[in-house]
Amino acid sequence: MNHIHISSIDHLVLVVQDIAKTCEFYQRVLGLKAVEEPINRWSLKFGHHKISLQQEGNVPSIAQQTLRGTANFCLLTQTPMESIIQQLKESQVQILEGPVQKQGAVGPILSVYFYDLDGNLLEVANSL
């Protein structure tokens, strides 16, 4: 049997209550760039990746089971952990856990966890 060889993640999608507030949060807290795409869609871009945003109540039929606040993902950064913690505090974002060492996709990472405006669990980490 042949297998599909997955090489990377292109994007992920978040269902959000308020696209404008979500864009502001991710720009202010994590420095992601909000970009308007065709047909009045929005994405948050960083490096060669993006997080596509879908308005709650206006989700394509194929994604009807995607719910706001159910995502849980990790973003890697080279920003020192002390600076990450300081930025979260300055942005009045409550750290739920961390810094704590975890196992990432390619090795150990040092992570902090917090929620975004829609209750999605974010992990921001440094590779160790």
Side-chain angles (χ1 to χ4, degrees), residues 6-13 37 44-52:
I6 303 297
S7 61
S8 66
I9 293 174
D10 180 77
H11 71 280
L12 60 95
V13 178
E37 296 188 347
L44 301 162
K45 294 197 173 187
F46 56 102
H48 297 289
H49 312 285
K50 73 176 183 175
I51 300 171
S52 296

Side-chain angles (χ1 to χ4, degrees), residues 112-125:
V112 291
Y113 293 83
F114 57 94
Y115 289 122
D116 72 4
L117 298 175
D118 291 288
N120 296 301
L121 181 62
L122 280 81
E123 178 181 357
V124 175

Side-chain angles (χ1 to χ4, degrees), residues 13-87:
V13 178
L14 295 179
V15 174
V16 301
Q17 185 174 35
D18 186 316
I19 288 177
K21 287 181 180 178
T22 298
C23 287
E24 188 279 329
F25 176 87
Y26 278 86
Q27 288 179 108
R28 177 175 48 85
V29 177
L30 298 176
L32 277 58
K33 182 179 178 184
V35 176
E36 187 171 10
E37 296 188 347
I39 317 169
N40 197 30
R41 293 179 184 238
W42 286 86
S43 293
L44 301 162
K45 294 197 173 187
F46 56 102
H48 297 289
H49 312 285
K50 73 176 183 175
I51 300 171
S52 296
L53 303 177
Q54 292 179 346
Q55 181 69 47
E56 184 179 39
N58 190 23
V59 180
S61 60
I62 195 169
Q64 287 299 312
Q65 293 186 12
T66 305
L67 302 174
R68 180 173 65 90
T70 60
N72 177 344
F73 57 94
C74 178
L75 302 172
L76 293 174
T77 182
Q78 293 181 4
T79 300
M81 186 55 64
E82 302 80 32
S83 297
I84 296 168
I85 292 168
Q86 183 63 35
Q87 175 63 27

